[in-house]
Amino acid sequence: MSGPVDIVVYHNPECGTSRNTLGLIRNAGIEPHVVEYLKTPPTRELLVQLIARAGITPRELLREKGTPYAELGLADTSLSDDALLDAMMAHPILINRPLVVSPLGVKLCRPSEAVLDLLPNAQLGAFAKEDGQLVVNDAGARV
């Protein structure tokens, strides 16, 4: 792909998966628009659009770990999508991350190397996750 590439990453700098995803985007020579969604949450309308474009359900975007998920009773499978969206709007920490928007689609990038499917540019070199796991070799190929 020639020319600038517009990528948006809904990011939490406290999350290792989110940091690794951001690193892989940058390793492709792309400086994305970084939205720290805990500081600047998406609107409900935008969140609904992102979920639809990612081809997932609100429940699939719901984060359990380190959130008020249990306290809010969100494990109840009878809750409607609207109720889950209401909870995510009230508590943005419930939105799982990183959510990446690229010209090739929208995806919840867990694990972080899932972002490679959304990058139109090749990796510029080796990349290892924070835990040392090599995911891209010196030639820029997925390991």
Side-chain angles (χ1 to χ4, degrees):
M1 182 174 249
S2 61
V5 178
D6 193 22
I7 303 256
V8 177
V9 59
Y10 290 88
H11 176 65
N12 179 349
E14 300 299 315
C15 172
T17 301
S18 197
R19 290 190 304 268
N20 287 325
T21 299
L22 184 56
L24 283 162
I25 295 168
R26 289 177 171 154
N27 198 49
I30 300 167
E31 186 53 43
H33 300 280
V34 177
V35 178
E36 289 190 33
Y37 73 96
L38 295 177
K39 293 179 181 177
T40 311
T43 64
R44 183 187 183 98
E45 180 181 3
L46 177 57
L47 188 61
V48 167
Q49 290 172 5
L50 292 170
I51 289 168
R53 289 179 61 198
I56 60 176
T57 65
R59 183 162 297 281
E60 290 171 300
L61 188 61
L62 200 56
R63 182 168 177 81
E64 296 179 36
K65 183 179 170 188
T67 73
Y69 178 90
E71 295 85 6
L72 295 172
L74 298 176
D76 180 352
T77 56
S78 71
L79 291 172
S80 68
D81 286 352
D82 279 337
L84 298 178
L85 288 164
D86 289 344
M88 286 187 261
M89 291 292 86
H91 307 277
I93 192 72
L94 289 165
I95 301 170
N96 213 341
R97 74 277 182 159
L99 195 60
V100 177
V101 180
S102 96
L104 300 178
V106 177
K107 185 180 270 197
L108 175 60
C109 293
R110 299 190 74 81
S112 55
E113 54 269 28
V115 75
L116 296 171
D117 298 331
L118 293 177
L119 300 178
N121 296 4
Q123 293 288 291
L124 300 176
F127 184 88
K129 291 184 183 184
E130 291 179 359
D131 67 4
Q133 178 190 359
L134 188 67
V135 293
V136 175
N137 66 20
D138 289 336
R142 186 183 276 188
V143 175

